[in-house]
């Protein structure tokens, strides 16, 4: 199951004008990685303040940056191993900034016990990526997507901000579905490496 990641080709087509502009202007893909991180940082602030609509827009910007870095690299023919590292660091920073904003919001509105659940969700949300990177290091393809990947995490966080009465349920969804995604990725990695 690829989850919302299955929409990536459609989303990439929506961003095609930006890709073509970046190719014409020789813009490095790393610019888009860092724009995604900056968008995630601003989203973290919006999340901390409980502003769900700006958080939604800024997290869409984060996903656009994460999409554009690879699309521009491929279109310009400048894909490189270091770009992979920068991309992964940008994605992890984006996740941490988003969850940090959520921790601030829930600490303020629900108390310190909620922060513990945010930390558990942050750790669980990191597990699918750790599995994918470990598999890639062993020679398997780098796996992305769902059933609960980066896009679903962003959506779940926006829903926590927009519907604070169900914050605990949504955080447990992040935890459980991240564990399920980790298991699914590990099963695919094992099959690839067999």
């Amino acid at each position: 199951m690829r989850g919302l990641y299955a929409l990536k080709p459609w989303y990439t087509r929506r961003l095609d004008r930006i890709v073509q502009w970046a190719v014409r202007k020789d813009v490095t893909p790393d610019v888009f990685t860092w724009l995604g991180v900056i968008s995630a940082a601003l989203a973290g602030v919006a999340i901390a303040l409980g502003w769900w609509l700006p958080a939604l827009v800024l997290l869409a910007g984060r996903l656009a940056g994460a999409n554009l870095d690879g699309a521009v690299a491929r279109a310009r023919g400048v894909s490189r191993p270091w770009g992979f590292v920068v991309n992964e660091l940008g994605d992890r920073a984006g996740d941490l900034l988003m969850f940090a904003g959520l921790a601030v919001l829930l600490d303020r509105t629900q108390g310190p016990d909620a922060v513990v659940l945010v930390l558990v969700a942050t750790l669980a949300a990191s597990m699918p990526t750790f599995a994918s990177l470990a598999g890639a290091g062993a020679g398997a393809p780098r796996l992305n997507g769902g059933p609960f990947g980066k896009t679903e995490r962003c959506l779940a966080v926006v829903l926590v901000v927009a519907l604070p009465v169900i914050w605990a349920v949504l955080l447990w969804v992040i935890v459980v579905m991240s564990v399920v995604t980790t298991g699914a990725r590990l099963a695919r990695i094992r099959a690839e490496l067999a």
Side-chain angles (χ1 to χ4, degrees):
M1 292 177 61
R2 297 186 68 200
L4 294 175
Y5 192 76
L7 297 174
K8 186 175 181 177
W10 174 85
Y11 194 46
T12 300
R13 286 191 301 275
R14 305 289 78 76
L15 300 172
D16 191 54
R17 286 186 181 172
I18 298 170
V19 173
Q20 298 309 315
W21 171 83
V23 169
R24 283 193 312 276
K25 299 293 184 180
D26 288 329
V27 177
T28 176
D30 295 347
V31 167
F32 296 102
T33 300
W34 293 114
L35 285 174
V37 172
I38 291 166
S39 187
L42 293 172
V45 171
I47 291 164
L49 294 171
W51 299 344
W52 73 268
L53 189 55
L56 176 66
V57 171
L58 289 162
L59 288 175
R62 177 215 169 175
L63 295 171
N67 190 312
L68 284 166
D69 57 8
V72 169
R74 287 185 296 279
R76 288 192 54 214
V78 295
S79 296
R80 66 203 196 286
W82 181 247
F84 176 84
V85 172
V86 171
N87 174 64
E88 290 298 331
L89 290 173
D91 281 350
R92 300 304 61 80
D95 266 357
L96 293 175
L97 290 163
M98 176 180 73
F99 280 113
L102 192 56
V104 170
L105 172 67
L106 292 180
D107 182 51
R108 195 178 76 239
T109 61
Q110 306 298 325
D113 290 345
V115 175
V116 173
L117 188 51
V118 173
L119 293 175
V120 170
T122 304
L123 178 60
S126 300
M127 290 171 44
T129 299
F130 292 152
S132 292
L133 291 175
R142 168 65 168 93
L143 299 179
N144 291 298
F148 202 83
K150 178 172 41 184
T151 307
E152 289 83 2
R153 285 192 301 274
C154 289
L155 179 59
V157 169
V158 169
L159 288 174
V160 169
V161 178
L163 304 167
V165 296
I166 58 170
W167 67 270
V169 170
L170 290 167
L171 285 176
W172 279 111
V173 166
I174 292 171
V175 171
V176 170
M177 291 306 296
S178 294
V179 170
V180 168
T181 301
T182 301
R185 288 186 185 182
L186 288 172
R188 284 185 56 206
I189 290 166
R190 184 172 184 179
E192 289 282 344
L193 296 175

